[in-house]
Amino acid sequence: MKYILISEVEKSDNQEVLLKAWVFNFRSSGKIYFLQLRDGSGRIQAVISKDSVAAEVWQNCENLTIESSVEVSGKVYADQRSASGYEMQVSDLRIIQRSEEYPIGKKEHGVDFLLDHRHLWLRAERQTAIIKIRDEIIWLMRSFFRNKGFILTDTPILTSTSSEGTTTLFSTDYFDETAYLSQSGQLYLEALAMSLGRVYDFGPTFRAEKSKTRRHMMEFWMLDAEAAFMQHEQNIELQEELIVYVVSGILKNKLTELDILQRDVAGLKKVKAPFTRLKYEEAVKQLKKLGSDIKMGNDLGADDETILMKEYDQPLFITHYPAAIKAFYMQPDPDNPDVVLCNDLLAPEGYGEIIGGSERIWDLKLLQKKFKEHKLPTKEFEWYFDLRRYGSVPHSGFGIGLERTVAWLCGLDHVRETIPFPRLLNRLRP
Ligand code: ATP
């Protein structure tokens, strides 16, 4: 008998096939068993009639428990009433492993209980839908950059120092010295941009921020993009194009999963370039009018982002932040050196900042001056200065956080469900 995935049943219409799956639910009417099966690729109902199977097969049905793993064979056929559009009439059923009593039931569980059982919770339909959307977002981002001629490359996770001070870094022993887990690949990517022109990396990043918010994790995935000869304006346009590409790809390819999540897609359908751009100063003025207590010169907090985004139904760029509250490497605005050529991109519907980007300082003297101001150890960064010594060029880039993008597109109010095993302030297990 041919073994197929549930997602392949359409191609085997009216044929006898073998499925290998888990029983996520079942009921019996005495003479008929209705099994709900899942195998990762899809879900299907399998029907077993006492009269048409061997006594031993019926016995196996009576032994079933939720989450038992099984092999079932039978004929698959189209059925309008079933969610997958197909059903199976079972002729044989074998239990691979009879599950012990499954801890996650139909009743509502608290978040802590679910996170303690994350290794099992991942089997839930909602969770698999989120993981599939996450996968699609990753493929869309990669194909976007590939189409644009960007080369995927890798930056290190173990680093000797950080681009923004070491207070929010996780450290680990590295033989006789201390290594830090990367919080962004940007500085290394700048070196690669001077080699390959247009590059991006995509990998895990780590931040030891004691932030217990619905948008922060200690470990998250970031895609950094960097391009030589690209300046502030093109950097913004590139981000805009990326977001439009990803959102439209998700709307095209992942409607089933969005439906499972009951995501109202009306907001996503509105995402069209160009996005509104607001200079930091204007944003703060607007925030004050909206009732925020933000002071000019302070960074926008998560609450400010939420208040501001009530006014916009599209992603919003905030640009030209004060140099004093941004990283040392950002290029000052030639018209006003107190602000830098940078941008954050805020997602609509209250999902907060998803991208941070900037034009980078490419003049050696200016960079060294900024190092002094930020009291950074110049010795550690000699290699970074070299990039400004040997054929320096204007260049820009940005980092997009995967989990916040997943949270926005899936309509999740917390990032903890956007990654299989979230690392949160008080959670390192499972
Ligand atoms: P925030 O101010 O919200 O903490 P940030 O300014 O530190 O973010 P960047 O350093 O610009 O963020 O990082 C780029 C992107 O990485 C952010 O726009 C966001 O999408 C994502 N990101 C940053 N920190 C976290 C985190 N702790 N958890 C999940 N995603 C994050």
Side-chain angles (χ1 to χ4, degrees), residues 211-263:
S211 325
K212 201 175 175 186
T213 75
R214 59 197 178 89
R215 294 174 192 163
H216 288 91
M217 281 188 293
M218 307 305 115
E219 175 179 319
F220 64 96
W221 282 64
M222 181 147 80
L223 184 150
D224 296 290
E226 194 74 29
F229 310 106
M230 179 170 81
Q231 292 186 275
H232 178 66
E233 180 61 29
Q234 299 98 51
N235 192 21
I236 286 195
E237 283 166 12
L238 185 68
Q239 294 166 47
E240 211 163 53
E241 264 188 78
L242 169 69
I243 294 300
V244 170
Y245 183 85
V246 170
V247 172
S248 62
I250 289 296
L251 286 174
K252 190 162 150 244
N253 305 334
K254 285 285 161 250
L255 278 181
T256 309
E257 285 75 10
L258 291 170
D259 206 39
I260 290 168
L261 298 172
Q262 296 178 315
R263 173 70 164 114

Side-chain angles (χ1 to χ4, degrees), residues 274-302:
F275 306 154
T276 305
R277 297 168 194 193
L278 219 51
K279 287 193 171 165
Y280 164 86
E281 201 179 327
E282 298 167 285
V284 172
K285 281 185 193 153
Q286 196 172 338
L287 271 165
K288 283 185 169 168
K289 274 195 204 140
L290 293 168
S292 160
D293 56 4
I294 189 171
K295 304 217 164 39
M296 197 60 85
N298 288 359
D299 206 354
L300 270 66

Side-chain angles (χ1 to χ4, degrees), residues 207 209 215-217 220 222 353-356 399 401 404:
R207 296 198 184 173
E209 294 167 306
R215 294 174 192 163
H216 288 91
M217 281 188 293
F220 64 96
M222 181 147 80
E353 181 201 316
I354 52 169
I355 298 185
R404 292 203 195 158

Side-chain angles (χ1 to χ4, degrees), residues 13-46:
D13 194 13
N14 273 314
Q15 292 170 34
E16 293 269 332
V17 293
L18 170 67
L19 298 176
K20 302 184 188 201
W22 292 266
V23 180
F24 68 90
N25 208 352
F26 64 88
R27 67 188 164 87
S28 160
S29 71
K31 292 200 157 174
I32 304 180
Y33 262 95
F34 298 95
L35 311 184
Q36 307 301 327
L37 303 178
R38 58 167 189 90
D39 72 351
S41 80
R43 297 180 164 228
I44 193 169
Q45 172 163 277

